[in-house]
Structures are given as structure tokens and as C-alpha cells.
Amino acid sequence: MRADAIRRVVIVGGGTAGWMAAAGIARVAGELPGLEIELVESDEIGTVGVGEATIPQIALFNAMLGIDEADFVRATNATYKLGIEFRDWTRLGHSYVHPFGFYGLDMKGVQFHHHWLKGRTLGDPTPLDAYSLAVVAGLRERFAHPRPDQPNSPLSKIGYAFQFDAGLYARYLRRLAEGWGVRRTEGRVVDVTRDGETGHVSAIVLQSGARVAGDLFVDCSGFRGLLIEGVMGAGFEDWSAWLPCDRALAVPCESGGDRRPLTRSTARPAGWQWRIPLQHRIGNGYVYSSAHVSDDEAAATLLANLDGAPLAEPKPLRFKAGHRRRAWIGNVVALGLAGGFLEPLESTSIHLVQSGIARLMTLFPARGFDQLEIDRFNAETVEEYVDIRDFLVLHYKATERDDSDFWNYCRTLAPPEGLAYKLAMFRRNGRIFREHDELFTETSWLSVMVGQGVEATGYHPVADLLSDEETLRRLHHIRDVVGQTADAMPTQDEYLRRIGCD
Ligand code: FAD
């Protein structure tokens, strides 16, 4: 054990971020001799209580923790998710799906979508959606796990994620973390003591008067950013000019409507409404801009658009799009809502927690706290936020909607530089580039660009190596195989029953 090793990690907050951090750190570093991990949470304050839709990377986190997937699905009332259906975003009455996985099949070394773009110039109207198994199966309420043993089937690489009860997930992680030796302390943090020389946090003080000392503090205290902002004064990079939604109302309702393994996002006059179907209920919420609609009107819109009876009063939430200028200062690292917020349009917040934990473990410090490593953590964090921001802004910017002040604002805003470049490249010849291993793949950018009506004026010249007839023949064949494969998949309900869910 090196002399300057971290001996005590204190996690402030027991929401999804806090328990993910506790379980993740305990799993990776918990066996280091002498390392203690303590999580402090306040029952009185509670958690944000939302955050139910995820992206496929969550499976990696769960696998890292050694979680059995079927057990997790049963314990968290989870459903499977093949993508997000966007309704009324491009124009009223229009819809498309952003799927996990991929479209069609690359041919002649050229990405599939160039052949699809060529097919369109030949008059083939088949929408891009028809070439994604995740979309076709999702719309037909079907689900199956990927079958890598069937390399010629579109099922070989289908992507999926989960929708789950956030409270049950936190409880699930808590059981694991406590099993790995994490100590939980209930209490409200009312004060903080700092080292006079380094400025590092040395201890947090609870209402009871108890003092919890540590070497490394992980701030998972939610929007308030108790340590990272309240003590370290990180500062906030405000992106609300690009992402003006600043409030949400969340309400669960009884199950009803379709049983698709898809999260749904329906654009509304001043924002959008989510629908996240779980096994036992549906999570709903209206994310809106308070400058464009009143809280009462937003509540009325939300409640008028549920598939079942509401199970609670709508819960109001306030936020600002953006991130802490530095997520790691001294011996304080912020994860989750304490680190920043990007609206849940693409279900990215839980992923940001996960990638923050991975980054922290990669750069796990010693008590000397190397500034070079801290700077690296902060730079990577900002880059990740910027990439996701640009992808979210695409949904708002590329719209034809002109039926409200909100949509007029979004449609005419100047996009961030990175997004402007991506739009220009796609419009030229359908070129899509994934920058520095960013979270969203070419499939994601393609689906939202096409779904939101961004037109490419050309396609890759090498697609012309296939004759026109051959292009159309292959496109139709792929479309048919996708449709047949979807039909052969069980419904999600059957699938859930097979693993013991009622
Ligand atoms: P919180 O849940 O707020 O937890 C904070 C913790 O800190 C609590 O335990 C609290 O008690 C504790 N605490 C605070 N102050 C003190 C104190 N003084 N003393 C002691 N303890 C304290 N993410 C997704 O990935 N998918 C989604 O679909 C999604 N939807 C969302 C919808 C909305 C409207 C919002 C606002 C967020 C959504 N998110 C979503 C984000 C997701 O909810 C959060 O990323 C996730 O829940 C993590 O929250 P957290 O743990 O950081 O904060």
C-alpha cells in the first residue's frame, strides 16, 4: 500500500449517482487494503426521483458490477428499450425513431445510408426506419437479445437498453454496495471543514453533530452541488440559450396504450413530453421552457396526454442546461446532477454518471492530488457534455415547426459551431463523422438528421459501383429481411414473462 494512498472516500448523496458511485468504486477499488467508503444521504431531502430511461452503455456498467440482467430487470420493474420514438418534432403528425444498433448493411465499403440516399434519387420512397431492426421490431412491440451467433441476421447486432424504476435501481445498487463494505450514514450535511493549507475538504458535519472525515469527496448531492459549488465555487457554464427548457413536471400513470419497447418523446408547444413504459406503470413528464408556457398550462397539457390514470400529483422540477466549469476541484469530484444537467431528451444523464465513475477510476488519485490528472478529468468531462449538447440542439434546430414562439426560437437559433459543421457536412454528400469517440455514433446522428428532415444533396460516389437496379434490389432485400426478422421475434411482453416478470 503506498503511503499516500486514499484511505477514505466519502460520497455525499444517495440518489442514482451516489449509489452508482458507491457500487462502482467499491467493485473496482474496494479491496484495496485500508480503503473505506462511506455514503451520506438525507432521507429528509430525498432524491430527484426521476431518471428512468437509459442508453445501451448501462449494460456495461451493470456487467462490471456482476449484475445478472434478468434479476435486475425483475427487481427494478424494467422494460427493454430499442430506441426513442420522436413524435411531432419535425412537423406536427410526423414521427421517426432513433434506434440503438445500425441501419442496413454497408456495401462496397461504403456506409449503408449512402446506398439509401442513392435509392431515394432513384425514386424509392422507403424510409430509413425500415432498414433498422430496432425500429421495425420496436414499432411492432417486439424484443429479443442480440444473436452474435447469427452473423448474417440483423439480430446479430441489435442494440438495447432499459427503462427502470430509478428508486428501485438505487436500492438494488445500495444492496450490492453495502455487501461490498460501503457504509451508509443517514443525515443532513450542514457544514464543511476545510484544510487551511490546501483548501481541500477535510470533513463534512451532519445535523446530528457527527463529523465524517475523508481524503476524497464525491459530490452526488444533486442540483445543489453542495461541495463542488457550495464549497469549491466551481462556477456554471450556462447553455440555456441553446437549450431553453428549464422546468419539468413529472407524473407516473397506470399502464395503458401501446407496449412498444421504446421511450417516446412528443414535442409540445413549449417543449416535449416523455413517456417511459415500465412493467407496472408509465413514467411521464413535460420538459418545458418557463419563458414560453405557464406551469398551470404545462400541467394541463401533461395530464391531458396520459395513457392511464395519474398515480400522483405532477412533481415540479427546475433546472438549467449546462455544467460545472470544473467537475473536479482539489479533493472534490462531482457526479450526476451536482456536475451538470442536460435535459433527458436522449436519456444521457445516467450515462454521464457512469462515464464519470469510469473516468474517476481511470484517474483514481493519491492524496497528493496531481493537477495534471485533475485537468485531464475536467477536459474530458467538458468534451463529453459539449458533444451531447450539440446532439440535443440538433433536435430543436432542425425542425419545420413554426406554430409557437418556442419553436420559432429554436428553429432560428444559431447552432453551436460543432453542430453547424456536422449539418453542413451532412447536407453536402451525406457525410457523418463521429468526433473523438463521442457518445453518439454515426447511426444516431444519421437517424436524427434524417428524422428531423435534414436533406443530403448527394451521396458517396462509390455507391455507384452498384448499378441502379442492383442498388434497388439489395435495398428491397434488406428491408424484407429486417421485416421478417422482426416478425419472428417475440413480443416484449412474452419476453418479459419468459424471464419471470408478471
Ligand atoms: P439526486 O437524485 O437529487 O440525489 C441527491 C442526493 O443528495 C440525495 O440522496 C439527497 O438526499 C442528497 N443530499 C442533498 N443535499 C444533502 C445534504 N445537505 N445532506 C445530505 N444529503 C444530501 N436521466 C436519465 O439517464 N434518463 C432519464 O430519463 C432522465 N430523466 C430525467 C428527467 C428530469 C425531469 C430530470 C430533472 C432528470 C432526469 N434524468 C434522467 C437525470 C437523472 O434523474 C439523474 O441523473 C439521476 O437521478 C442522478 O441524480 P443524482 O443522484 O445526481 O441527484
Side-chain angles (χ1 to χ4, degrees):
M1 182 88 166
R2 41 190 289 187
D4 63 349
I6 297 281
R7 285 177 306 227
R8 280 189 53 78
V9 177
V10 177
I11 298 165
V12 181
T16 307
W19 284 112
M20 283 178 77
I25 298 170
R27 177 72 170 181
V28 175
E31 287 177 16
L32 280 174
L35 182 75
E36 292 174 7
I37 305 169
E38 181 161 352
L39 182 146
V40 178
E41 65 176 319
S42 159
D43 289 343
E44 184 196 339
I45 294 175
T47 67
V48 72
V50 282
E52 303 179 329
T54 63
I55 55 175
Q57 286 79 353
I58 186 81
L60 300 175
F61 184 74
N62 286 348
M64 188 272 285
L65 298 180
I67 288 175
D68 174 75
E69 186 183 297
D71 183 56
F72 149 80
V73 167
R74 284 188 295 268
T76 61
N77 273 327
T79 52
Y80 296 101
K81 170 177 173 184
L82 292 174
I84 304 175
E85 181 186 11
F86 289 96
R87 289 190 179 175
D88 297 340
W89 276 83
T90 316
R91 73 190 83 90
L92 287 167
H94 177 272
S95 74
Y96 70 96
V97 176
H98 167 197
F100 301 135
F102 62 100
Y103 292 101
L105 194 67
D106 295 353
M107 294 181 278
K108 297 282 177 195
V110 173
Q111 291 161 310
F112 171 79
H113 74 272
H114 291 287
H115 299 279
W116 172 75
L117 286 169
K118 177 181 172 186
R120 298 230 308 183
T121 68
L122 298 172
D124 184 347
T126 312
L128 186 62
D129 276 0
Y131 298 97
S132 159
L133 180 59
V135 178
V136 177
L139 293 175
R140 295 181 190 174
E141 301 190 355
R142 291 170 188 275
F143 178 78
H145 276 94
R147 294 293 304 265
D149 57 316
Q150 297 177 3
N152 294 327
S153 164
L155 197 51
S156 61
K157 289 189 288 180
I158 194 169
Y160 71 99
F162 307 98
Q163 301 162 128
F164 55 63
D165 182 318
L168 294 178
Y169 186 53
R171 205 176 302 164
Y172 194 88
L173 295 177
R174 175 179 165 186
R175 191 166 47 79
L176 287 179
E178 288 184 325
W180 292 325
V182 173
R183 177 171 165 199
R184 172 186 184 264
T185 300
E186 200 284 319
R188 190 183 184 120
V189 180
V190 291
D191 202 4
V192 172
T193 56
R194 299 176 75 174
D195 183 289
E197 219 171 281
T198 59
H200 287 186
V201 171
S202 45
I204 51 175
V205 182
L206 308 187
Q207 207 159 25
S208 63
R211 201 174 161 275
V212 181
D215 302 317
L216 172 67
F217 286 81
V218 185
D219 185 353
C220 297
S221 63
F223 285 126
R224 47 179 61 78
L226 200 69
L227 302 182
I228 196 72
E229 194 63 60
V231 177
M232 295 309 207
F236 192 80
E237 192 68 33
D238 183 344
W239 285 340
S240 39
W242 281 308
L243 294 168
C245 289
D246 58 353
R247 288 188 194 178
L249 286 164
V251 68
C253 76
E254 287 173 355
S255 293
D258 71 59
R259 305 284 298 160
R260 294 169 176 172
L262 298 169
T263 296
R264 187 191 299 158
S265 164
T266 306
R268 299 283 179 224
W272 59 279
Q273 180 172 338
W274 78 75
R275 176 188 188 271
I276 304 178
L278 308 185
Q279 286 178 38
H280 59 312
R281 62 165 169 80
I282 300 173
N284 308 276
Y286 185 4
V287 175
Y288 58 97
S289 158
S290 62
H292 295 94
V293 70
S294 69
D295 296 337
D296 287 349
E297 209 179 321
T301 301
L302 175 64
L303 292 172
N305 288 285
L306 302 179
D307 281 333
L311 298 170
E313 285 295 309
K315 176 177 178 169
L317 296 143
R318 291 181 179 209
F319 45 79
K320 199 185 281 179
H323 64 92
R324 303 275 172 231
R325 293 212 169 92
R326 287 177 293 159
W328 184 341
I329 301 175
N331 65 340
V332 173
V333 182
L335 294 174
L337 300 173
F341 184 72
L342 288 168
E343 62 186 73
L345 186 55
E346 286 283 353
S347 319
T348 43
S349 288
I350 293 173
H351 175 75
L352 282 166
V353 175
Q354 172 182 345
S355 62
I357 294 168
R359 201 171 289 131
L360 174 60
M361 296 321 296
T362 303
L363 294 164
F364 199 72
R367 271 181 291 143
F369 289 96
D370 186 332
Q371 193 57 41
L372 206 60
E373 294 176 353
I374 293 175
D375 291 346
R376 177 80 207 169
F377 183 97
N378 288 334
E380 285 185 16
T381 304
V382 171
E383 191 169 79
E384 192 172 35
Y385 267 89
V386 169
D387 289 341
I388 296 173
R389 175 201 68 194
D390 286 4
F391 190 55
L392 298 189
V393 176
L394 168 65
H395 299 63
Y396 287 103
K397 170 71 189 161
T399 180
E400 295 167 18
R401 287 191 65 156
D402 58 2
D403 52 298
S404 70
D405 288 348
F406 175 80
W407 287 104
N408 285 335
Y409 175 85
C410 296
R411 198 188 64 254
T412 55
L413 62 74
E417 206 180 323
L419 174 59
Y421 174 77
K422 278 198 159 88
L423 283 166
M425 286 300 275
F426 183 71
R427 286 190 173 118
R428 292 286 154 76
N429 280 302
R431 316 278 190 191
I432 294 177
F433 293 94
R434 186 178 187 182
E435 308 279 353
H436 46 247
D437 214 20
E438 66 181 300
L439 176 60
F440 287 104
T441 62
E442 286 93 343
T443 297
S444 295
W445 281 95
L446 176 69
S447 89
V448 179
M449 294 248 202
V450 171
Q452 298 277 150
V454 181
E455 295 279 346
T457 51
Y459 57 84
H460 198 295
V462 171
D464 281 333
L465 280 180
L466 294 178
S467 68
D468 295 353
E469 297 70 34
E470 183 62 8
T471 297
L472 292 174
R473 192 190 68 74
R474 290 198 191 185
L475 285 175
H476 294 163
H477 177 67
I478 294 169
R479 180 195 62 197
D480 294 345
V481 169
V482 166
Q484 288 153 11
T485 307
D487 280 339
M489 290 161 69
T491 64
Q492 160 162 242
D493 285 347
E494 278 169 49
Y495 211 83
L496 287 169
R497 273 196 295 275
R498 281 184 203 173
I499 60 165
C501 304
D502 300 330

